Amino acid sequence: MTISGLNGFACRSHFALRLPIFHCVRKPRFGSVAAIETLDEPERIIDEKRHNLGGEVGRKYHKVPEWKKLNSKELGISTSMIARPTRKVLNGLRQRGYEVYLVGGCVRDLILKRIPKDFDITTSAELKEVARAFSRCEIVGKRFPICHVHVEGTIVEVSSFSTTGRKFSGDLSYDVQSPIDCDEKDYVRWRNCLQRDFTINGLMFDPYAKLVYDYMGGLEDIRKAKVKTMIPASTSFQDDCARILRAVRIAARLGFRFSRETAHFVKNFACTILRLDKGRLLMEMNYMLAYGSAEASLRLLWKFGLLEVLLPIQAAYFVHHGFRRRDKRTNMLLSLFSNLDKLLAPDRPCHSSLWVGILAFHKALSDQPRDPLVVAIFCLAVHNGGDMSEALNIARRINRPHDVRFDELSELGDKDTEALSDEVMDLVVSIKRVLSMMTDEYYVSQAMAEYPQAPYSDLVIPLPLYLKACRIFDCIRQGTEKGFVPKQGSKINYEMLALGSLQEVRHTFARIVFDTVYPLNLT
């Protein structure tokens, strides 16, 4: 089977790159911005009566909280918090007479004073009307199509009430209460919110009326720091198993916990993620590791039995070191990704080759522990484009202790320059061997053969990503690159890092490794 290609990943808010990181080689087992109008501030409406939407006898009944609409100012939301390209799309549709709302996770993040990864819009306009409103707009998706509006190098996603209405019309195995004494617009908004995955994503924000609509108890779950499915979790995850990975990603990023029911079905339906299209499955994996919440994501994936399917080699490492599912301790793998997280954010992601390189480096070190001085020389040489002489000189002047907790670091030895250089070269060979193995379905499938607790998996990285990751380390074996200019200062160019600039990836990789082996706060 042909291995799919990958040029790189980037934050959707800035770049339109959506390619798979891995490929599974085995079939699964299962103008100017117009000013936003200002309206009189409406009173908060709470404690509205509700009524049952009908349904057959014997169907499951899903009770939802009292619905509310709140003034956005009371929640600390201002229109200045909305990205400029999104405001352009909102204004463009509003000026044509359509209703427009921000929906989903961006509303949640605005309430939490976090920078949204992206902004999603829903509108009363049909998708064809949205396409006519903007010069650069395309309708994507077959089952539930949406519009991609291209503005200032950004893609803004726009969905239509009519599309979500068709999705809602499917057969339901449960009854849900709808708001009583509400007008037609409330009913349409409620139906749209019901299609969201989690209650904390089921909020709608009208930036013109300055109102946030909460029909499903999302604000209360934000207050409780809880991830809870919009409908019964068993039904929600069967309808769309990608919600399992989104639940992990959201909980990891926000530091939220799962509701008891949601946690139960995340764990019990873990293997159903193999039903997903591989591009979609592994795009979710990249969102977990490249956007600033990798350590928490790895912990949750391990806790709920998902790591074995997505990263079987790393799951084997956890098993081998006796790392329990609910373990609060750390290890070198988690420390590496913790240091990566310190440099990234939802609007400042890295290229996928960086975290793949970190995985390969750690696996090589886990297989054969190294002298911390060797590791220091190695990461300094990566940073300066392969200048071993300079790396050796700098490393010998390190006067702070290394972290002795990690089994991947051996005892300090008294080695001469030649011996240190040889060990650095050997480490590079080991890393590239691991990268090669990560493209080999047979090796990955056998990675955990000695650990009967873990299942079979053969998810591999594609060849283009393997080559991209190899380039991070090629400079050490090949010597200082011709025309290489060392990076000055510690500031990261995040746009170039997301695009996979070799200089930025190497610089960031070296910082992460060095700060893990020689942490500043070590006592």
Side-chain angles (χ1 to χ4, degrees):
M1 182 179 290
T2 303
I3 297 177
S4 58
L6 175 80
N7 292 323
F9 266 84
C11 179
R12 187 171 59 177
S13 297
H14 299 281
F15 309 101
L17 301 176
R18 296 190 175 197
L19 299 173
I21 300 173
F22 295 97
H23 187 78
C24 186
V25 297
R26 180 176 58 84
K27 290 183 179 180
R29 288 186 287 255
F30 324 67
S32 62
V33 182
I36 291 183
E37 300 168 11
T38 302
L39 302 181
D40 292 335
E41 294 184 9
E43 295 181 354
R44 180 181 300 187
I45 300 177
I46 60 175
D47 298 328
E48 294 287 345
K49 296 180 181 179
R50 312 176 64 83
H51 71 280
N52 185 9
L53 188 62
E56 299 172 4
V57 176
R59 298 172 77 184
K60 294 180 181 178
Y61 176 72
H62 186 59
K63 186 177 180 180
V64 294
E66 298 297 324
W67 73 285
K68 304 173 183 178
K69 59 181 178 181
L70 304 173
N71 188 292
S72 60
K73 288 184 178 180
E74 295 179 18
L75 297 172
I77 301 176
S78 66
T79 54
S80 63
M81 300 165 68
I82 303 172
R84 175 187 168 94
T86 304
R87 294 204 307 268
K88 281 192 170 184
V89 177
L90 287 167
N91 289 325
L93 293 170
R94 176 74 174 186
Q95 289 165 0
R96 287 169 174 79
Y98 301 117
E99 293 177 55
V100 284
Y101 303 89
L102 291 177
V103 291
C106 65
V107 183
R108 174 202 71 214
D109 287 348
L110 291 175
I111 292 170
L112 289 169
K113 306 300 184 292
R114 290 175 173 265
I115 300 174
K117 182 172 65 67
D118 47 36
F119 290 86
D120 292 335
I121 295 173
T122 192
T123 179
S124 59
E126 297 287 342
L127 294 183
K128 290 182 179 179
E129 294 172 326
V130 175
R132 285 195 293 268
F134 301 97
S135 58
R136 297 189 60 211
C137 179
E138 57 190 358
I139 300 175
V140 300
K142 294 181 179 179
R143 187 181 178 191
F144 300 115
I146 60 173
C147 279
H148 278 178
V149 183
H150 298 260
V151 184
E152 298 179 357
T154 298
I155 292 178
V156 179
E157 289 191 357
V158 181
S159 62
S160 170
F161 284 156
S162 61
T163 304
T164 54
R166 288 195 298 272
K167 182 178 180 182
F168 182 85
S169 63
D171 291 336
L172 300 177
S173 60
Y174 51 88
D175 284 336
V176 184
Q177 291 177 319
S178 64
I180 196 170
D181 297 333
C182 66
D183 58 23
E184 183 179 347
K185 290 183 178 181
D186 268 316
Y187 181 74
V188 171
R189 285 190 291 260
W190 169 75
R191 294 208 323 175
N192 184 278
C193 290
L194 194 61
Q195 302 311 304
R196 305 293 157 180
D197 43 14
F198 306 104
T199 57
I200 59 175
N201 292 343
L203 302 167
M204 298 184 71
F205 171 36
D206 182 341
Y208 300 94
K210 301 192 186 310
L211 286 175
V212 171
Y213 296 89
D214 177 17
Y215 297 98
M216 307 301 290
L219 288 167
E220 179 65 12
D221 286 337
I222 288 175
R223 187 185 68 80
K224 293 179 178 178
K226 181 190 297 185
V227 177
K228 177 183 176 183
T229 53
M230 184 72 73
I231 60 178
S234 59
T235 304
S236 180
F237 293 153
Q238 287 181 77
D239 287 348
D240 182 3
C241 55
R243 290 172 177 166
I244 294 172
L245 294 178
R246 289 202 297 274
V248 171
R249 168 159 54 93
I250 292 168
R253 181 188 166 213
L254 300 179
F256 282 19
R257 60 185 174 85
F258 296 140
S259 70
R260 181 171 298 184
E261 180 196 30
T262 301
H264 174 80
F265 287 103
V266 165
K267 182 177 181 180
N268 284 278
F269 285 8
C271 288
T272 65
I273 65 171
L274 289 172
R275 300 174 186 170
L276 288 171
D277 172 81
K278 299 308 175 294
R280 173 62 181 281
L281 175 70
L282 300 156
M283 183 170 67
E284 288 288 343
M285 190 66 200
N286 188 68
Y287 282 151
M288 292 184 200
L289 298 183
Y291 286 76
S293 57
E295 181 195 4
S297 295
L298 289 172
R299 287 183 182 275
L300 285 174
L301 290 172
W302 175 240
K303 179 179 179 179
F304 288 96
L306 293 157
L307 193 66
E308 295 89 319
V309 177
L310 297 170
L311 293 172
I313 295 173
Q314 285 64 45
Y317 166 77
F318 281 0
V319 172
H320 180 68
H321 287 271
F323 205 75
R324 299 183 300 275
R325 294 290 179 176
R326 296 177 179 270
D327 219 318
K328 302 298 183 183
R329 296 174 298 161
T330 191
N331 54 42
M332 190 173 189
L333 178 64
L334 292 172
S335 294
L336 285 164
F337 280 98
S338 174
N339 283 317
L340 173 64
D341 290 340
K342 292 172 184 176
L343 303 178
L344 305 179
D347 61 333
R348 299 195 308 272
C350 70
H351 188 272
S352 52
S353 62
L354 176 56
W355 60 262
V356 168
I358 292 172
L359 291 176
F361 162 77
H362 176 262
K363 172 62 176 171
L365 210 60
S366 178
D367 288 345
Q368 183 179 345
R370 306 279 178 170
D371 186 320
L373 186 59
V374 170
V375 178
I377 297 167
F378 159 75
C379 64
L380 288 166
V382 168
H383 180 269
N384 63 21
D387 190 333
M388 283 289 292
S389 177
E390 182 182 64
L392 280 160
N393 290 334
I394 295 174
R396 287 191 181 279
R397 297 199 298 269
I398 296 174
N399 58 10
R400 70 185 195 224
H402 69 277
D403 197 326
V404 297
R405 296 174 300 168
F406 302 139
D407 294 336
E408 293 87 341
L409 299 175
S410 64
E411 294 293 328
L412 284 167
D414 186 14
K415 303 180 180 72
D416 59 24
T417 297
E418 184 176 355
L420 288 170
S421 297
D422 288 345
E423 288 200 34
V424 171
M425 294 296 180
D426 186 63
L427 175 56
V428 174
V429 171
S430 298
I431 293 171
K432 297 190 76 170
R433 184 185 303 119
V434 171
L435 283 169
S436 178
M437 290 174 175
M438 289 168 70
T439 68
D440 185 335
E441 64 271 20
Y442 176 78
Y443 172 80
V444 174
S445 69
Q446 297 299 311
M448 296 182 295
E450 61 182 292
Y451 312 124
Q453 303 98 319
Y456 173 94
S457 179
D458 57 8
L459 209 59
V460 299
I461 64 171
L463 184 59
L465 182 54
Y466 157 77
L467 295 172
K468 185 80 174 177
C470 282
R471 288 191 65 198
I472 300 172
F473 314 107
D474 281 343
C475 59
I476 297 179
R477 296 186 66 191
Q478 298 171 1
T480 307
E481 295 176 343
K482 185 177 180 180
F484 174 79
V485 178
K487 183 178 176 66
Q488 301 298 317
S490 61
K491 186 176 181 180
I492 296 173
N493 183 325
Y494 284 100
E495 183 173 355
M496 297 305 295
L497 180 64
L499 292 172
S501 161
L502 196 55
Q503 184 186 53
E504 292 298 333
V505 171
R506 283 175 174 168
H507 166 72
T508 309
F509 175 89
R511 285 180 61 175
I512 292 163
V513 172
F514 192 88
D515 288 347
T516 302
V517 177
Y518 294 95
L520 282 172
N521 60 349
L522 191 63
T523 59

